[in-house]
Amino acid sequence: MSSTPKVALTVAGSDSGGGAGLAADLRTFCALGVFGTLVVTAVTAQNTVGVRDFLAMTPSMVAAQLDAVLSDMPVRAAKTGMLATSGIVKLLASRGAAGKLPPLVIDPVLVSSSGKPMFPCDDVAGAYRGLFAHAAVVTPNLPEAALLTGRQLGDLDAMEEAARELHALGPQLVIVKGGRRRGAEAVDVAFDGRCVTLLRAPWIDTANVHGTGCTFSAAIAANLALGLEPLEAAFEAKQFVTRAILGGSQWHLGAGHGPLDQLGAAAAQARTG
């Protein structure tokens, strides 16, 4: 008889193509042996080519979902993805300020992989400022970090400066993801207030990277739920994402950026571990 699993929560939008958002998060939780719960923030019409439309939930509906889950389930870590409106961001920030959120991983989904803005708010940094203060980990990609800091992030030094600036807003750990910079390696820059750490993995030449950010942040949250510290959780998540990208690298699903193989990544780890 198996033991009761640890529980994680995703607060994110749907992806009708199944590659990102809640679908990617729940597959990642499952692959890492964590029971997944969810709060829906938006319903999107999207596929591997791009986002066509979305409908945001009201803050009150998001609050009702949060209350339903957190009042009943022993959630040990949570992650956010697409939050859709400043009202939802402010709701989560108020819950964090009141100490009513589990350890939180924030994936600030502000720009889609096709370059379309995913957050209809002019003051993006201001909307997120209050929420970052209550985060265990924040994981912006290059366009998101540039939008949040107003910096051009062309090299590792600039990524480090952005990580330091975002860390000053209050999270324990900031990881500026560099997977969009082609090279021999995919390098992320992490800063915990004391040390800069580079998370490195081999570059995988594939177009199938839809849901990479969701998978990374969900894997960090799953690892936090399993008891790892933030930086250790990030190291493990980086390896998991690399296996998931590799596993789906030869798939032919859709006309655009295809999905990752999260479940295959867990199987690959089991074979080699």
Side-chain angles (χ1 to χ4, degrees):
M1 182 179 295
S2 62
S3 60
T4 302
K6 302 296 189 290
V7 180
L9 168 68
T10 172
V11 183
S14 71
D15 173 0
S16 49
L22 295 168
D25 294 343
L26 293 175
R27 283 199 302 273
T28 299
F29 290 165
C30 178
L32 293 174
V34 171
F35 185 85
T37 57
L38 65 148
V39 168
V40 182
T41 60
V43 176
T44 74
Q46 66 174 294
N47 54 29
T48 63
V49 177
V51 179
R52 299 183 178 185
D53 201 358
F54 72 88
L55 176 66
M57 299 293 105
T58 63
S60 62
M61 184 59 190
V62 172
Q65 294 175 81
L66 274 173
D67 290 341
V69 174
L70 296 179
S71 67
D72 183 53
M73 301 289 279
V75 178
R76 293 170 59 97
K79 65 144 291 185
T80 69
M82 180 188 182
L83 296 182
T85 70
S86 59
I88 295 175
V89 177
K90 291 174 182 177
L91 165 69
L92 292 175
S94 68
R95 293 296 181 92
K100 294 182 178 180
L101 289 177
L104 190 62
V105 180
I106 300 175
D107 180 18
V109 180
L110 306 174
V111 182
S112 73
S113 58
S114 64
K116 182 177 180 178
M118 299 284 286
F119 196 95
C121 176
D122 292 334
D123 184 14
V124 173
Y128 269 89
R129 187 174 299 272
L131 183 57
F132 282 0
H134 309 291
V137 186
V138 176
T139 64
N141 62 25
L142 290 176
E144 291 159 352
L147 189 61
L148 289 164
T149 63
R151 298 175 180 273
Q152 295 298 316
L153 306 182
D155 55 29
L156 293 179
D157 288 340
M159 291 167 64
E160 178 184 335
E161 291 174 2
R164 289 179 179 274
E165 181 176 332
L166 294 175
H167 186 272
L169 298 177
Q172 296 177 44
L173 178 68
V174 174
I175 304 169
V176 177
K177 298 175 295 190
R180 295 178 183 228
R181 297 174 67 247
R182 291 185 65 92
E185 293 182 305
V187 183
D188 307 327
V189 176
F191 181 64
D192 64 0
R194 302 184 306 276
C195 300
V196 174
T197 304
L198 300 183
L199 307 180
R200 299 180 179 273
W203 176 269
I204 300 169
D205 189 12
T206 178
N208 295 338
V209 293
H210 184 50
T212 301
C214 304
T215 300
F216 181 59
S217 56
I220 295 174
N223 288 326
L224 292 177
L226 292 170
L228 275 62
E229 293 299 318
L231 188 57
E232 184 183 6
F235 270 115
E236 293 291 330
K238 180 75 171 180
Q239 295 177 31
F240 178 84
V241 169
T242 301
R243 294 194 302 271
I245 295 172
L246 183 62
S249 61
Q250 301 302 313
W251 287 359
H252 299 283
L253 293 175
H257 294 288
L260 281 60
D261 183 11
Q262 292 93 353
L263 300 181
Q269 172 63 20
R271 289 194 299 270
T272 60

